[in-house]
Amino acid sequence: MQLALQYAQLKTSIARAVPSSRPHMDVPVSVEEIAGYLYCSERNVKFLIRKMSEMGWIVWTPGRGRGHRSAIRFLASAEDLLLAEAKLLVEQGNLNSAMGLFQMEGLDGVVMDRFLAWLGSYFGYRGTAECGNSETLRLPMQIRVLTLDPVNVLFSRDLHFIKQAFDTLLYFNPMCGSVEPGLAHAWASNDDATEWTFYLRKRVKFHHGRELTAEDVVFTLGRLRTIGTESSPNRWLMQSVKDIRAVNRLTVRLKLHAPNYLLPHYLSSYQAAIVPADVYSAVSAADSNMLPVGTGPFRITRHDKGGVTLEAFEDYYRECAHLDRIELMYVPDDVSERRWQQLNFQMGKLNHYTRPAPAHWRRKEIMMLGSSTLVFNLRKPGPQQAAHFRQAIQLVLNRCGLIKELGLHHARPAADFLPPATPGLPPDDDQPERARALLQACGYVGEPILIICTKKNIGQVEWIQASCKAIGIPVELKVCTYEQMTNVQLLMEADVVLGGVVADDDEARCLIEMYKIGNMPTRLFATDEQRQVFDDTIAAIEADPDAERRLQRIRAMQALVSDSYAVLFLLHTTQQLVYSPHLQGITFNTIGWFDFKNIWYRTDSLEDDGALPV
């Protein structure tokens, strides 16, 4: 690869230095000049010239005699050589480096289009004849997986992959809204829900071959409640647990500090997924290079800077996955939105608002269970401490205008953490005069505020920035990575964070998370008094034996943050997928992904529809 890259660098550098040069034309140049173009020694240049000549890429004519320069004639297309190298890199699993080859100045921009066209044929479904008797699905992915350790999961993308590799004691069924058996085939509690007993299935195997026992459950739940700090995302799940012990090889008993009828919901959370004690007791939780070991339908055999690979686990205790292998490769962060949409179109997953899909393709859409939010830091001095200031921002968000101007066709205005069952009236949030009056009433004198967000939300923050500027509020913007958005110290620098809440299928548990996760802004930015109210309210809900009443009380907790404008709800979004009818088993979950285990490819009546499905 290095030789092809150096050839392209040399050719484009000489083209810039000698604008009159043409293909297959002798261009005067010295070894010294080439060393400068390639940032290497003259000795190395002579070696490179010999290798390029042997490859038939150049004709090199040495200068003879004093004052006579050497000449180089380029025979090969730099774009063709880089394209060949890029294909090889992709086949080795490194899409990021492959696309990086085309960032060189002076290349014909069409080469990227050629590469993406080839990539469209590389990705997608591959049958047994093409992949050595295994069915493989290859997908591009733009946002990286941060962690595959259940105890550290915070973002929905990471959670999706955790679900592929791990299982939980219990399973929450979103179709009927109830908790069902998982790794535990049965469970029971005493009368006041302060003691719970779980009975494990026999012959469940971890990916490394050992059978699941009660000791693994004791280790996992103990690890969950002790690892990290109070701001760690998932310690709260075991907050009510006083003691965990193995009664026998397949029975586990938990004793609680207080009644908790929500404990089965907490244990169905994949943040409480069961891990093998012999593997995870030997490694640090911060070991990001460790491949996960669970009992789930897929083994994760690769997780690095290039992507993630999943292979079906043949000893899975439930129905095995249909596909043998799923390969996901990361697309570089600097790929433009146009290029990403072009790649998505060739993959079959496309923005069908702007580009039509084949008429016979199928379409699925789901409203994500959550919303984007603006959360104000009430633990830091500043104008955001005044409720009137926060209300003033609420009155200039103009969510409908934001959706229209930014072309967010998949979004609708939010007034709650969760989308309503039926759309309501548009919000009355375009009142700049009233907002100015509120700012005057609270004594605001023009101090700037800092909003932190991810790259994904820059457009929305710039809209908010302009809206605030119109009423005299200067807004500074800081863009952070997803990993930085988990850093408590960094988040505490902000006056406001624009983020998102994407809940899993269990509404009750996921709404409680908003008030319990230590490094989530809703709790992180709350005052000590607010945090105590959160905890007392949740403890009372946990002690309520009536499930319907619990859910109503959980939903009502929103008033604790919305009535004071401590949290402003911005947008609900839908996730949409357009795909070939040959791809079967597609079912969306509320975090915007489809379950890999259920996907299969129908090959009995393939048609040439011009694109590959994803």
Side-chain angles (χ1 to χ4, degrees), residues 140-170:
M141 193 161 63
Q142 201 168 26
I143 300 175
R144 283 156 175 70
V145 173
L146 295 181
T147 181
L148 290 172
D149 189 332
V151 298
N152 293 323
V153 169
L154 182 62
F155 296 109
S156 59
R157 180 171 298 260
D158 297 357
L159 177 61
H160 171 72
F161 286 91
I162 293 292
K163 286 186 171 188
Q164 311 311 309
F166 294 92
D167 288 303
T168 51
L169 279 180
L170 305 176

Side-chain angles (χ1 to χ4, degrees), residues 82-111:
L82 291 181
L83 186 59
E85 294 295 338
K87 291 177 181 179
L88 182 61
L89 282 169
V90 169
E91 289 165 355
Q92 293 171 348
N94 197 342
L95 175 59
N96 201 339
S97 294
M99 297 189 80
L101 294 177
F102 305 116
Q103 305 304 312
M104 187 184 303
E105 184 182 351
L107 289 180
D108 186 343
V110 175
V111 68

